[in-house]
Amino acid sequence: MLEILSLIRQDGDPAWCRSVPNWERGPWLETLPGLRRARGNRRPRIISSHLPLHMFPRAFLRSKAKV
């Protein structure tokens, strides 16, 4: 899914996918380093997680984010 979203974000250009590691393109929300990296990424952000939906922050659920 991360590869597909990365390609969509870059209009199908695979150069970004090949040059930027997964953990930088789609950092893990449930880790502190991942959260810091996600906040620093340009929008639209790609964020990875294995958290159940009910454990996401309420502000996230009220946002326009695609899940």
Side-chain angles (χ1 to χ4, degrees):
M1 182 59 71
L2 180 59
E3 294 297 317
I4 294 168
L5 291 174
S6 297
L7 286 168
I8 290 170
R9 182 176 172 202
Q10 296 303 116
D11 296 322
D13 182 12
W16 188 56
C17 298
R18 292 180 184 146
S19 63
V20 179
N22 285 345
W23 62 86
E24 287 186 24
R25 286 185 278 137
W28 291 92
L29 177 66
E30 53 262 39
T31 65
L32 191 53
L35 180 59
R36 287 182 185 142
R37 184 174 303 279
R39 286 183 175 161
N41 286 353
R42 70 177 180 91
R43 294 175 186 237
R45 296 181 183 122
I46 299 172
I47 300 172
S48 300
S49 180
H50 280 127
L51 288 175
L53 191 58
H54 72 276
M55 293 183 75
F56 273 76
R58 289 185 182 163
F60 177 82
L61 298 175
R62 289 189 301 259
S63 72
K64 294 181 180 181
K66 306 289 188 247
V67 180

